């Protein structure tokens, strides 16, 4: 059984990673942003309309959200 322990940090050589850039402008800095989904009262477990926040990362320069940062359903919605 090989499980990570809470608080244990892995040492990573950044040279072995790949940079992520904005698909729109090429910028490499992102900021946290939220998409909000509305759930109707009929689907909500407590019978009231609910707002569901979903964190994504938006380009700090142009605001674009890369497809990799979105759920499959959201990507298909925008087509």
């Amino acid at each position: 059984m090989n499980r990570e322990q809470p608080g244990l940090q892995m040492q990573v050589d950044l040279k072995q990673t790949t940079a992520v850039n904005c698909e729109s402008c090429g910028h490499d800095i992102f900021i946290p942003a939220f998409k909000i989904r509305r759930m109707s009262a009929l689907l909500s477990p407590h019978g009231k309309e609910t707002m569901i926040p979903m964190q994504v990362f938006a380009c700090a320069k142009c605001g674009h959200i890369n497809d990799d940062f979105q759920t499959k359903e959201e990507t298909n919605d925008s087509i």
Side-chain angles (χ1 to χ4, degrees), residues 53-79:
M54 299 182 322
Q55 186 173 10
V56 295
F57 294 97
C59 175
K61 185 174 182 180
C62 73
H64 176 77
I65 299 170
N66 286 0
D67 287 343
D68 287 348
F69 300 160
Q70 300 188 55
T71 64
K72 191 176 200 178
E73 293 79 16
E74 290 176 306
T75 304
N76 290 338
D77 285 348
S78 62
I79 294 176

Side-chain angles (χ1 to χ4, degrees), residues 18-30 59 64 66 69:
T18 304
V20 176
N21 294 69
C22 175
E23 296 166 343
S24 182
C25 73
H27 197 63
D28 65 346
I29 297 177
F30 296 86
C59 175
H64 176 77
N66 286 0
F69 300 160

Side-chain angles (χ1 to χ4, degrees), residues 13-42:
D13 181 2
L14 293 180
K15 293 177 186 172
Q16 296 177 338
T17 64
T18 304
V20 176
N21 294 69
C22 175
E23 296 166 343
S24 182
C25 73
H27 197 63
D28 65 346
I29 297 177
F30 296 86
I31 56 173
F34 289 91
K35 286 190 160 194
I36 306 292
R37 302 291 295 202
R38 186 183 317 261
M39 180 186 295
S40 78
L42 296 173

